[in-house]
Amino acid sequence: MTKATASRTQLPEWQALEAHAQTLSGTHLRDLFDRDDQRFDKFSLALPHFLFDYSKNRITEETRDKLFALAKAVDVEGWRDKMFAGEKINRTEDRAVLHVALRDPSDEPLVIDGTDVRPEVQRELGRMRDLVERVRGGQWRGYSDKAITDVVSIGIGGSNLGPLMVTEALSAHADGSLNVHYVSNIDGSQIADTLKRLNAETTLFVVSSKTFTTLETMTNAKTARQWFMDNGGSESTTNRHFIAVSSNIEKAVEFGVDEDNIFAMWDWVGGRFSLWSAIGLPIALNLGFEAFEDLLAGANEMDRHFVEAPLAENAPMLLALLGVWNRNFLGYRAHALLPYDQSMHRFPAYMQQAEMESNGKSVNWAGERLSYGSCPLIWGEVGINGQHAFYQMLHQGTDIIPADFIGSITSSNTMPGHHDALMANFFAQTEAMMRGIDADQVRAELKSKGMDDAHIEAIVEHKVHPGNRPTNTLLLHKLDARTLGALIALYEHKIFVQGIIWQVHSFDQWGVELGKVLAAGIIPELEEGKSNPGHDASTRNLINYYCQNK
């Protein structure tokens, strides 16, 4: 696409959607349902692991067709095929984007820069399996010949959030043979709280850093190493207690990790899409390698669905296009993720990173400023807790915030009465956000309770719920490893599709780098107790105030 036609807003398909949005501006969701009792059948998909209901969006069949036309116009399917073929679609870093290869059991060659990466992936999976079985089986022994009881995963960003989220989400499936802990924050409180509960003789550390120079990760790793030395460890036994996941073998060996205990990271896998690789070692150690394989298998099933299903039946395409519709044509600037399952409490944070780090960009492929919105603000919390916190705003606030509701038919626990009560709220909230309650309904309700007319009129507007709030419902059959793998892959592909439509580079993260570079320069200033005069007045004085008072 030339610079003259770079903006998506110049596409006839985009302009058709803008005009179409105007025709729907006065249409309420409850009217769409009242007019068509087949709406659910038209706007839902039954997939192997979950039901996807998108009928509570402000769309018609015409809307969907126009969104498909936009996807065709920007060649989403062609770009998808390029990604799966290993073409270097991460153009700012000249890299392929192949996290999908990590969960593909195919032995068909996949060549990048003259190397078939399939054998590399299978080799690392085999090494992971061997390590997991030795640690979980008690064959891997610590320096005092005791079996490992605790694993500490040290990483940050994608090296932390993915494994942490999965470990928490599938905690009901863990057998308890190993306790897995996660440390990411450079704030010393987190690692101090973790280490004080552990025994150095029976603790294994997994340090994940592609460069093995990441400030937060290496600061925590050095603290862990010193703690190990202070509690009976030695240089000669470090290799029994430290594993590395890195592409910088030299740095990891220098740290004290045996080369046989260093697992690969590839530049064609972005950190926020890396839990399928050796970054997922803590998952496999916690759940067992078979469960990790189920996670991969579920993701691969969604990959195949994404590649093979036609647009009208393609869940990632639909989820992405609905997000574009809400963001760019209805003007909604935020999106909430609301899991109704306590074990999925880290899912919103994980997807927040995945979406906002990928598509939180403001220039297009041609390097021009976008004239339309890209990634909305992604946020969320466990749904049932949110009902007593921020749902007030979702129902009656001045901003409309679309939301994804995620729940399960089968609970991970067996507490009688709990799950039906939870799911009653799950179903009620999406209905309330769609339908709302108008002034006449409020008056009738209050009148039935015997309230006088004057009091009714004084409060009626405060009790009106406008409704017309779009939601998606993802109803899982049960939350297990295979289902979770499919769910994560669904959102990964949503991110990809939206990046193509918005014409942003989804697989770099230059916005993460600037603050890190500046922080590296400030550390010596804090150690010396004086700021560099090159800072602005605010930063300079803040640093000086800190140094003078610490």
Side-chain angles (χ1 to χ4, degrees), residues 343-410:
S343 61
M344 290 190 70
H345 70 111
R346 297 299 295 172
F347 187 77
Y350 173 70
M351 291 314 309
Q352 184 178 60
Q353 185 211 14
E355 295 205 33
M356 294 172 73
E357 194 168 278
S358 295
N359 290 338
K361 315 287 172 61
S362 58
V363 297
N364 65 16
W365 297 339
E368 301 168 328
R369 292 286 160 186
L370 298 181
S371 60
Y372 47 85
S374 59
C375 184
L377 169 67
I378 303 295
W379 63 287
E381 178 57 271
V382 172
I384 202 71
N385 292 342
Q387 290 181 198
H388 297 270
F390 53 81
Y391 275 41
Q392 167 62 48
M393 178 184 172
L394 295 185
H395 283 291
Q396 292 185 303
T398 54
D399 290 294
I400 292 178
I401 300 175
D404 293 353
F405 281 70
I406 306 170
S408 301
I409 296 172
T410 302

Side-chain angles (χ1 to χ4, degrees), residues 441-454 456:
Q441 291 171 304
V442 172
R443 289 188 182 95
E445 176 195 346
L446 297 180
K447 192 76 171 176
S448 70
K449 295 178 180 178
M451 189 176 292
D452 64 81
D453 290 345
I456 289 173

Side-chain angles (χ1 to χ4, degrees), residues 88-306:
K88 293 182 178 181
I89 64 169
N90 178 355
R91 290 190 286 183
T92 61
E93 296 178 307
D94 193 32
R95 294 173 178 175
V97 177
L98 271 177
H99 47 280
V100 294
L102 299 172
R103 60 236 190 177
D104 184 356
S106 169
D107 57 6
E108 182 179 339
L110 184 55
V111 178
I112 300 175
D113 293 329
T115 301
D116 182 4
V117 302
R118 299 278 194 207
E120 294 182 21
V121 171
Q122 292 306 313
R123 181 171 61 251
E124 288 304 294
L125 283 171
R127 295 180 66 223
M128 288 174 65
R129 176 190 286 276
D130 178 65
L131 172 71
V132 168
E133 290 179 349
R134 288 166 63 199
V135 174
R136 287 176 58 83
Q139 288 82 41
W140 183 293
R141 315 296 283 188
Y143 70 80
S144 64
D145 203 38
K146 293 180 180 178
I148 299 300
T149 59
D150 292 85
V151 175
V152 180
S153 174
I154 299 177
I156 197 164
S159 298
N160 169 260
L161 269 173
L164 171 59
M165 181 274 291
V166 173
T167 299
E168 294 280 344
L170 300 179
S171 58
H173 301 277
D175 61 10
S177 60
L178 285 175
N179 302 307
V180 178
H181 316 267
Y182 289 89
V183 173
S184 60
N185 200 330
I186 200 170
D187 183 339
S189 299
Q190 188 181 37
I191 193 165
D193 288 345
T194 301
L195 294 177
K196 70 184 180 183
R197 302 193 299 268
L198 304 180
N199 180 350
E201 298 174 79
T202 58
T203 299
L204 178 67
F205 294 93
V206 180
V207 183
S208 298
S209 171
K210 182 174 286 188
T211 63
F212 229 68
T213 60
T214 307
L215 175 64
E216 299 89 345
T217 299
M218 297 319 300
T219 300
N220 282 322
K222 290 171 184 175
T223 297
R225 191 175 187 277
Q226 188 59 54
W227 171 85
F228 172 72
M229 295 296 186
D230 292 342
N231 287 273
S234 64
E235 294 284 353
S236 63
T237 57
T238 302
N239 64 327
R240 301 192 196 181
H241 294 268
F242 284 84
I243 301 291
V245 184
S246 180
S247 59
N248 194 336
I249 295 175
E250 183 179 349
K251 282 284 187 184
V253 170
E254 182 183 317
F255 179 84
V257 182
D258 191 293
E259 190 167 343
D260 289 339
N261 297 336
I262 301 171
F263 290 81
M265 294 181 76
W266 300 283
D267 65 8
W268 38 265
V269 178
R272 55 195 176 276
F273 304 101
S274 64
L275 68 84
W276 321 100
S277 69
I279 291 295
L281 263 175
I283 301 169
L285 286 163
N286 182 245
L287 300 171
F289 200 78
E290 288 186 3
F292 186 71
E293 288 182 311
D294 284 343
L295 187 77
L296 300 181
N300 182 250
E301 287 176 27
M302 183 56 67
D303 294 343
R304 299 321 311 162
H305 168 81
F306 181 47

Side-chain angles (χ1 to χ4, degrees), residues 525-526 528-531 540-550:
E525 299 175 40
L526 301 184
E528 294 169 11
K530 186 178 181 181
S531 69
R540 184 173 65 250
N541 282 286
L542 286 169
I543 290 172
N544 288 336
Y545 186 87
Y546 171 83
C547 291
Q548 291 161 9
N549 290 279
K550 69 176 181 179

Side-chain angles (χ1 to χ4, degrees), residues 289-502:
F289 200 78
E290 288 186 3
F292 186 71
E293 288 182 311
D294 284 343
L295 187 77
L296 300 181
N300 182 250
E301 287 176 27
M302 183 56 67
D303 294 343
R304 299 321 311 162
H305 168 81
F306 181 47
V307 169
E308 296 166 4
L311 286 178
E313 300 168 16
N314 196 304
M317 292 282 192
L318 286 163
L319 191 63
L321 291 168
L322 291 165
V324 169
W325 170 248
N326 286 329
R327 176 71 175 101
N328 298 109
F329 302 102
L330 299 185
Y332 304 144
R333 300 167 67 90
H335 189 94
L337 297 174
L338 307 171
Y340 275 66
D341 189 317
Q342 182 61 36
S343 61
M344 290 190 70
H345 70 111
R346 297 299 295 172
F347 187 77
Y350 173 70
M351 291 314 309
Q352 184 178 60
Q353 185 211 14
E355 295 205 33
M356 294 172 73
E357 194 168 278
S358 295
N359 290 338
K361 315 287 172 61
S362 58
V363 297
N364 65 16
W365 297 339
E368 301 168 328
R369 292 286 160 186
L370 298 181
S371 60
Y372 47 85
S374 59
C375 184
L377 169 67
I378 303 295
W379 63 287
E381 178 57 271
V382 172
I384 202 71
N385 292 342
Q387 290 181 198
H388 297 270
F390 53 81
Y391 275 41
Q392 167 62 48
M393 178 184 172
L394 295 185
H395 283 291
Q396 292 185 303
T398 54
D399 290 294
I400 292 178
I401 300 175
D404 293 353
F405 281 70
I406 306 170
S408 301
I409 296 172
T410 302
S411 174
S412 298
N413 68 73
T414 57
M415 295 291 181
H418 283 255
H419 196 62
D420 282 350
L422 174 73
M423 295 306 291
N425 280 274
F426 177 84
F427 298 123
Q429 289 295 334
T430 60
E431 183 176 32
M433 288 183 185
M434 180 275 286
R435 189 165 290 280
I437 181 170
D438 63 25
D440 289 341
Q441 291 171 304
V442 172
R443 289 188 182 95
E445 176 195 346
L446 297 180
K447 192 76 171 176
S448 70
K449 295 178 180 178
M451 189 176 292
D452 64 81
D453 290 345
H455 194 187
I456 289 173
E457 292 308 314
I459 67 170
V460 63
E461 290 300 329
H462 298 280
K463 292 178 70 67
V464 167
H465 288 56
N468 216 23
R469 267 64 173 163
T471 61
N472 295 307
T473 297
L474 292 156
L475 187 57
L476 315 182
H477 298 167
K478 59 181 178 180
L479 183 58
D480 58 17
R482 195 173 284 258
T483 299
L484 184 61
L487 183 68
I488 298 168
L490 169 73
Y491 278 90
E492 286 181 346
H493 296 318
K494 169 200 169 183
I495 292 165
F496 168 80
V497 172
Q498 290 184 334
I500 298 300
I501 293 173
W502 289 324

